[in-house]
């Protein structure tokens, strides 16, 4: 550990952060994401459709917001994983090495 209790940055951590920056700059605000977001929004709201009379609307809004946050995290994690896989495949193709895509 570094002085002050901070863990040293590993190359993987730095790479993940760079990929997150790409996601935030290029993907998160893209037009195609709007379509996906509407589908996710609709699905989440349908989960609560029958609960409006049973549960206070403010409680539903809190759950909805938490589900949106989880969906955002999952989307970001999926992007990072897919980006790494795609980069690995490209490296494999360029090197003629087939070990990256083997399970």
């Amino acid at each position: 550990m570094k002085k002050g209790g901070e863990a040293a940055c590993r190359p993987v951590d730095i790479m993940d952060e760079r990929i997150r920056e790409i996601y935030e700059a290029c993907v998160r605000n893209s037009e195609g994401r709007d379509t996906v977001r509407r589908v996710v929004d609709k699905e989440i709201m349908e989960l609560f459709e029958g609960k409006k009379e049973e549960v206070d609307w403010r409680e539903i809004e809190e759950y909805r917001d938490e589900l949106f946050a989880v969906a955002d995290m999952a989307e970001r994690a999926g992007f990072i994983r897919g980006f790494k896989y795609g980069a690995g495949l490209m490296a494999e193709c360029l090197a003629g090495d087939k070990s990256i895509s083997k399970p």
Side-chain angles (χ1 to χ4, degrees):
M1 284 201 159
K2 282 185 170 184
K3 192 175 181 179
E6 293 179 27
C9 286
R10 299 182 328 229
V12 172
D13 295 335
I14 294 168
M15 182 172 58
D16 283 1
E17 183 57 34
R18 296 295 179 256
I19 298 170
R20 263 189 220 87
E21 289 171 4
I22 292 169
Y23 172 80
E24 293 295 330
C26 300
V27 178
R28 188 169 192 162
N29 298 317
S30 69
E31 289 180 27
R33 187 172 187 270
D34 290 342
T35 304
V36 172
R37 185 61 185 212
R38 279 193 295 275
V39 170
V40 171
D41 290 351
K42 182 179 179 231
E43 291 292 325
I44 289 173
M45 292 311 294
E46 284 178 4
L47 287 172
F48 296 111
E49 201 58 40
K51 307 283 187 210
K52 288 180 182 176
E53 294 174 11
E54 301 171 23
V55 182
D56 180 45
W57 183 246
R58 287 175 293 212
E59 192 175 344
I60 288 175
E61 286 180 338
E62 287 176 21
Y63 287 133
R64 182 198 63 200
D65 293 346
E66 289 173 10
L67 288 172
F68 285 145
V70 169
D72 282 343
M73 286 186 279
E75 181 181 33
R76 186 180 319 109
F79 177 83
I80 291 169
R81 185 171 184 145
F83 190 99
K84 287 179 176 181
Y85 186 75
L89 284 175
M90 182 171 278
E92 179 182 300
C93 290
L94 294 172
D97 180 13
K98 307 244 185 290
S99 66
I100 294 170
S101 62
K102 288 183 181 176

